[in-house]
Amino acid sequence: MNDAILALDTVTKTFGHGASTVHAARAISFSLHAGRALALVGESGSGKTTCARMAMREYQPTTGQILHKGRPFEGAKADEIARYRRSVQMIFQDPFASLNPAHTIAHHLRRPLKLHRPNIRGSQIDATVRELLQRVKLDPDLVAPKYPHELSGGQRQRVNIARALAAQPEVIVADEPTSMLDVSVRLGVLNLLNDMKKEMNLGLLYITHDIATARYVAEDIAVMYSGQIVEWGPTGEVIDNPIHPYTRLLLSAVPDPDVRFDDPRTRLRPEDVDDIRKAAAAPQEKVVEASPGHFARSL
Amino acid sequence: MKSLLRNRKALIGLAIIALIILVAIAAPLLTQYDPNARTGRPHQPPSMDHILGTTRIGQDVFARLIYGARTSLAVGFGAGLLITAVGTALGIVSGYRGGKTDEVISFFTNMVLVVPNLPLLLVLAAFIGQASPLVIALILGATSWAWGARVTRAETLSVKQKDFVKSAEMMGEPQWRIMAFEIFPNVISIVGINFIGSVIFAIITEATLEFLGLGDPRAVSWGTMLYNAQKASALSVGAWWDILTPCFALAFLGIGMSLLNFAVDEIANPRLRTGNHLKRWSLLVRSGEGRL
Amino acid sequence: MSEPLLSVRNLTIDYIGEETDFRAVDDVSFDIAPGEVFGLAGESGCGKSTIAFAISRLHKPPALIRKGSRILLAGRDVLDLDPKALADFRWREVAMVFQSAMNSLNPVLRIEDQFYDVLRIHKGMTRAQARERAAEMLRLVDIPPDRMRNYPHQFSGGMRQRIVIAICMALDPKLVVMDEPTTALDVVVQREILQRINELRKEFGFSVLFITHDLGLMVQFCDRIGIMLAGKLVEQNDAAAIYKTPQHDYTKKLWASFPSLHGGLLS
């Protein structure tokens, strides 16, 4: 078991104060290891994006700490920040908004090289840009001189991945990387992320609302609801043997072509759904271990 | 850029402006007269010698027109550039940096915005007395940037939210680079509109100040031509060429710039497009090929 | 099938440009029986939303429905209706639920006023009558009727979509067109809403044209499914057949794009 490259330790994030306090994240703890992916699954408002933003240092935790390679990250010194920036890279959800329409693809890939790999100079820069594009299965001659609006959504997302890889990071935070892509290109991009994770021994935080894709990409999974991680553990275990009522609810609602809506056995009763939601939203302190590594909060 | 050149309004506007610029540059080739010298009898109507007649003190109106174009264009574009540069810089900095910087700059901007422009210019010009075109350009530059700053700040605020700006920040790009290379290229259409509007404003305001007598009457510009013609009661004595020449010149340049302005607006916001991009559609509907 | 409720025949829709045209829908034909749920599946740009708009004649230039296209609802060609008949037709015969409910509801009107708007124009109801009908409809979609006086922003996304559905059903339409009604909602809310629509459909007997890219969801919800690619309807069959024995390559490709929850990787 390798040491965690990035870890959140009992992190809480609240916004606002008094009557309008929003508990976006409550007592969140998870860790990212080299060559492994953690899927953070939840609906909108569950707090998963807040966790991503904290991992990227866009938000500061209200309480708790972020550990980078075992050491608490203070963010006081410039070189500490620079090292963190190089080590932790992000891939955004919207392939259209995450590239600057005024610059070519080559420019987008040169910047991280100039900022984080100063030892690469001159003609080597363009050679590295070519290599990065090849790695994400794009043709450098075709793609490098183009502007973002000339590429498809899937191609843009691959460019985003290339840009993240350019800095030679240790962790990649992927915030719903395929939810805005056409269905038929999603798996290609997820495959690419998976390959990169293995080839480059990266830690991957994969944030999604689509629990079916989690099995595809991640060894571990954490299910979030209303700011808390309600169940976590190895992906296969959690999906095949869910314990927490919310996880079960989530899994039962995933479209399954084998089960028609008419089937009375699978009908969701609105009262039950509301009860589960209410209970899962309340802070739950107790944790039970269902099997080695598989934990859930107890209602 | 390409769409600009395909737009009819833009082409006509650019043609007008280019024509005026060319005429101004080629002034010595187009007339043998010195615009300041007495080269004819007072208030001569247009003739073969003096195509647009002469002024009250016998200067050739056509020569004054094309040499005056140089001054009016220089002040217009010079002040326009200054106004746009100051407004854009302040707008982007306050919009992107936010916080205290934004508060200070916005407060300052609002102050300048609230002060009525023309009265301030009148007071300043009167204070300086006989302001040369250069001084007028500087005064315009120093007092008229506020609207541009506000509008650019608003655009910056919306561009700042975009993911590619966040990505640059997370990548560790220094703030000045983000403002110059990430934000600026994406607010360029508002900067362009700002520039064209500022040039129109500068040209008209310079002419206004000079017409009111606050400029240097010895300078040769369209505004001073108006002033001198008015002082000489040109219209009442029937010397229509003396006063109408600078009027039409200003109007002509104004039309050119306004057409360009409309064109840039249309390109920036396609919903403003007028014209016949639905011509083919209407034809097809009328011939019964289809319907809505 | 016996007399279909909706019959689309040779529908061809172009977007007319300055020099070239874009064929968004290419000679599409399909039928929907009374009380049936018909699904149109496809990715972005395939033309499914264009078809939905055409049924309610919501298109604006430069869209152009080519001659030879016919959309028959209960025997009448929708494309031939004059403006007055069209106004009657909308909401009463066909109702439409759009993708983002947030934009379908007027943010400055209370919910009861939005109902009154529709009911006054189409049925000449008074405020009191409209309020009664609204309460009835809201109860059908599990929204407490006493919240009628709230504004849209006071409801969550899922609840707003339910309100839109309630307004759609207030006039007892024969056909409800739903264009990606739950794509922006989370999966549990999606399940709840569609489950409810299914029950309402059985009770009131309306047909549904359901548009989405989620094939798995379609097989659960729809009776028959049409697969669209680049404007053409490439395959059309019963839901079970589309699932178990897809014929067209694109259908198979679509299926391959949905990872199974319990299996490993889909081939």
Side-chain angles (χ1 to χ4, degrees):
Chain A
M1 182 65 155
N2 25 22
D3 289 309
I5 312 173
L6 186 67
L8 265 66
D9 182 12
T10 332
V11 163
T12 302
K13 180 68 184 164
T14 51
F15 292 101
H17 44 259
S20 56
T21 312
V22 174
H23 295 276
R26 263 189 249 258
I28 303 289
S29 297
F30 61 76
S31 53
L32 299 167
H33 302 263
R36 288 178 75 90
L38 169 70
L40 203 55
V41 177
E43 26 174 284
S44 55
S46 60
K48 54 192 202 299
T49 308
T50 308
C51 290
R53 301 269 157 115
M54 285 194 287
M56 295 307 299
R57 291 183 49 255
E58 197 181 328
Y59 300 154
Q60 303 297 334
T62 310
T63 66
Q65 51 187 358
I66 297 181
L67 297 150
H68 185 221
K69 298 202 204 173
R71 282 205 302 256
F73 181 76
E74 312 286 316
K77 284 176 286 180
D79 56 335
E80 193 191 2
I81 296 177
R83 253 179 289 128
Y84 191 96
R85 282 206 166 115
R86 189 198 153 142
S87 166
V88 180
Q89 290 287 325
M90 181 151 175
I91 296 170
F92 293 83
Q93 180 177 5
D94 186 346
F96 301 82
S98 45
L99 293 173
N100 189 335
H103 295 306
T104 59
I105 302 302
H107 175 273
H108 280 97
L109 294 176
R110 270 186 237 124
R111 287 311 304 160
L113 294 177
K114 293 216 174 115
L115 285 167
H116 295 289
R117 290 165 75 179
N119 49 315
I120 300 186
R121 275 190 282 262
S123 59
Q124 274 200 302
I125 295 184
D126 282 331
T128 315
V129 167
R130 285 187 71 84
E131 190 230 331
L132 282 167
L133 284 170
Q134 278 163 340
R135 217 173 312 149
V136 296
K137 312 273 192 328
L138 289 173
D139 183 344
D141 294 314
L142 278 175
V143 171
K146 287 214 163 108
Y147 286 88
H149 68 269
E150 297 175 288
L151 300 180
S152 71
Q155 287 174 313
R156 276 183 248 204
Q157 209 59 319
R158 284 170 191 266
V159 168
N160 278 323
I161 295 175
R163 177 171 58 176
L165 294 174
Q168 289 189 316
E170 292 156 306
V171 169
I172 288 193
V173 176
D175 186 2
E176 307 234 33
T178 55
S179 61
M180 291 186 74
L181 297 178
D182 266 338
V183 162
S184 56
V185 293
R186 285 181 193 179
L187 284 192
V189 172
L190 287 180
N191 269 331
L192 180 63
L193 275 176
N194 216 4
D195 291 338
M196 293 295 103
K197 169 192 91 184
K198 290 192 210 136
E199 271 171 49
M200 302 175 67
N201 215 25
L202 299 168
L204 177 65
L205 179 62
Y206 173 61
I207 295 167
T208 184
H209 63 270
D210 185 349
I211 196 168
T213 57
R215 194 157 202 164
Y216 210 75
V217 158
E219 290 84 0
D220 304 302
I221 189 173
V223 179
M224 282 190 77
Y225 183 74
S226 196
Q228 290 180 94
I229 298 182
V230 297
E231 188 158 359
W232 63 101
T235 313
E237 246 300 291
V238 170
I239 293 184
D240 291 334
N241 302 308
I243 304 173
H244 196 278
Y246 177 72
T247 316
R248 288 193 170 149
L249 175 64
L250 190 63
L251 287 166
S252 70
V254 171
D256 183 353
D258 284 315
V259 178
R260 292 276 300 171
F261 268 32
D262 303 322
D263 191 340
R265 291 173 295 154
T266 57
R267 186 174 180 278
L268 287 179
R269 294 175 51 220
E271 320 81 66
D272 295 343
V273 173
D274 285 332
D275 288 339
I276 294 174
R277 283 212 180 103
K278 227 177 283 174
Q284 302 137 65
E285 309 290 343
K286 215 156 89 77
V287 171
V288 297
E289 183 168 9
S291 64
H294 177 189
F295 299 86
R297 292 197 185 272
S298 132
L299 285 176
Chain B
M1 241 309 103
K2 270 174 280 175
S3 42
L4 194 70
L5 294 172
R6 261 188 288 160
N7 185 311
R8 237 189 5 193
K9 292 193 187 85
L11 282 173
I12 300 178
L14 280 170
I16 294 176
I17 299 168
L19 176 66
I20 298 177
I21 293 179
L22 273 169
V23 163
I25 294 176
L29 300 172
L30 294 166
T31 180
Q32 75 266 44
Y33 295 122
D34 179 340
N36 283 306
R38 284 188 70 162
T39 53
R41 290 197 320 276
H43 270 164
Q44 250 183 293
S47 63
M48 283 306 293
D49 275 338
H50 300 275
I51 346 177
L52 283 176
T54 59
T55 66
R56 176 81 171 76
I57 48 179
Q59 296 155 323
D60 180 53
V61 171
F62 180 68
R64 286 180 74 79
L65 173 70
I66 56 185
Y67 276 96
R70 292 181 170 190
T71 318
S72 294
L73 285 172
V75 173
F77 281 90
L81 197 62
L82 196 57
I83 294 171
T84 310
V86 174
T88 304
L90 288 178
I92 292 182
V93 169
S94 68
Y96 179 69
R97 296 201 50 158
K100 259 264 130 60
T101 318
D102 186 17
E103 272 183 45
V104 168
I105 297 180
S106 288
F107 179 71
F108 187 43
T109 306
N110 289 331
M111 252 177 38
V112 173
L113 201 53
V114 156
V115 174
N117 216 327
L118 198 54
L120 172 67
L121 287 164
L122 290 172
V123 167
L124 275 175
F127 183 69
I128 295 175
Q130 297 218 325
S132 71
L134 172 65
V135 171
I136 289 181
L138 287 172
I139 296 175
L140 288 172
T143 57
S144 325
W145 50 265
W147 177 86
R150 275 195 79 142
V151 167
T152 309
R153 173 182 176 274
E155 275 294 295
T156 303
L157 284 176
S158 99
V159 172
K160 182 170 117 164
Q161 302 306 322
K162 299 238 166 104
D163 280 345
F164 64 82
V165 173
K166 284 208 186 357
S167 171
E169 289 169 357
M170 287 178 183
M171 193 69 74
E173 293 271 29
Q175 283 205 337
W176 69 266
R177 268 203 78 103
I178 294 183
M179 288 191 277
F181 295 107
E182 307 290 337
I183 309 252
F184 178 68
N186 286 288
V187 299
I188 205 135
S189 73
I190 212 90
V191 173
I193 291 172
N194 191 6
F195 177 66
I196 298 175
S198 302
V199 170
I200 298 177
F201 168 75
I203 292 172
I204 305 277
T205 312
E206 185 224 351
T208 310
L209 288 173
E210 288 170 347
F211 177 68
L212 292 173
L214 296 162
D216 181 356
R218 289 161 298 166
V220 181
S221 75
W222 294 345
T224 54
M225 285 175 75
L226 278 172
Y227 171 69
N228 287 316
Q230 174 69 339
K231 245 188 26 181
S233 312
L235 218 46
S236 3
V237 308
W240 50 267
W241 55 90
D242 200 6
I243 195 154
L244 288 183
T245 306
C247 281
F248 278 120
L250 282 166
F252 193 51
L253 181 57
I255 289 173
M257 303 264 0
S258 295
L259 281 173
L260 194 58
N261 202 357
F262 291 142
V264 174
D265 262 347
E266 274 183 3
I267 291 165
N269 186 354
R271 269 176 281 176
L272 290 173
R273 288 170 72 194
T274 54
N276 49 9
H277 61 285
L278 284 180
K279 203 159 68 157
R280 280 189 66 229
W281 184 90
S282 313
L283 270 166
L284 286 166
V285 170
R286 255 176 284 152
S287 65
E289 276 302 310
R291 51 195 162 169
L292 265 185
Chain C
M1 60 177 77
S2 56
E3 197 62 39
L5 171 71
L6 178 75
S7 192
V8 173
R9 292 263 165 272
N10 309 109
L11 182 62
T12 303
I13 303 178
D14 290 335
Y15 283 96
I16 309 295
E18 295 193 24
E19 280 154 45
T20 52
D21 302 333
F22 173 68
R23 181 140 290 186
V25 178
D26 194 350
D27 197 21
V28 167
S29 304
F30 62 89
D31 290 335
I32 303 184
E36 179 181 44
V37 180
F38 184 80
L40 264 185
E43 301 177 274
S44 60
C46 69
K48 51 194 202 295
S49 292
T50 311
I51 293 179
F53 271 57
I55 294 176
S56 289
R57 292 190 60 189
L58 288 171
H59 279 296
K60 295 221 157 9
L64 188 76
I65 303 180
R66 289 281 181 181
K67 76 170 178 207
S69 306
R70 303 177 72 208
I71 300 180
L72 300 155
L73 189 84
R76 288 194 307 175
D77 193 342
V78 171
L79 299 172
D80 281 335
L81 295 175
D82 64 59
K84 184 176 178 308
L86 188 59
D88 275 338
F89 164 80
R90 287 188 178 135
W91 287 105
R92 281 179 144 187
E93 313 256 338
V94 175
M96 189 151 170
V97 178
F98 297 90
Q99 183 168 354
S100 49
M102 341 301 162
N103 299 335
S104 301
L105 291 171
N106 188 333
V108 300
L109 286 182
R110 294 181 207 270
I111 301 304
E112 67 174 4
D113 293 326
Q114 314 226 22
F115 272 97
Y116 176 58
D117 234 1
V118 172
L119 292 168
R120 176 180 59 92
I121 293 177
H122 290 274
K123 276 218 158 123
M125 285 193 182
T126 64
R127 272 200 188 272
Q129 290 170 320
R131 224 171 281 141
E132 243 185 77
R133 181 77 174 147
E136 197 187 326
M137 304 318 301
L138 288 174
R139 249 176 258 126
L140 283 178
V141 294
D142 306 308
I143 301 241
D146 55 8
R147 292 199 65 182
M148 234 193 287
R149 288 189 58 75
N150 285 145
Y151 289 92
H153 69 267
Q154 292 171 280
F155 295 90
S156 71
M159 295 180 92
R160 273 181 277 191
Q161 195 64 305
R162 276 187 248 225
I163 293 171
V164 169
I165 290 166
I167 297 176
C168 274
M169 296 194 35
L171 291 162
D172 248 330
K174 298 204 186 85
L175 173 68
V176 180
V177 178
M178 299 189 168
D179 187 359
E180 306 249 27
T182 51
T183 304
L185 304 172
D186 80 75
V187 92
V188 179
V189 175
Q190 170 177 273
R191 181 53 184 265
E192 286 180 278
I193 289 180
L194 290 178
Q195 200 172 265
R196 202 73 185 95
I197 294 176
N198 202 26
E199 287 159 9
L200 291 170
R201 179 207 31 139
K202 295 222 186 91
E203 191 180 333
F204 292 97
F206 55 85
S207 306
V208 177
L209 174 60
F210 185 62
I211 296 169
T212 182
H213 59 265
D214 191 339
L215 261 190
L217 184 65
M218 281 195 131
V219 172
Q220 285 191 302
F221 183 52
C222 303
D223 299 315
R224 282 171 52 244
I225 296 174
I227 309 281
M228 287 202 64
L229 174 65
K232 291 193 165 62
L233 195 59
V234 297
E235 187 168 352
Q236 200 183 148
N237 213 333
D238 290 335
I242 295 276
Y243 176 39
K244 299 269 165 57
T245 53
Q247 300 296 315
H248 198 273
D249 281 338
Y250 179 64
T251 315
K252 295 179 189 164
K253 182 175 170 209
L254 267 187
W255 276 120
S257 310
F258 289 96
S260 150
L261 192 54
H262 294 286
L265 313 173
L266 223 70
S267 55

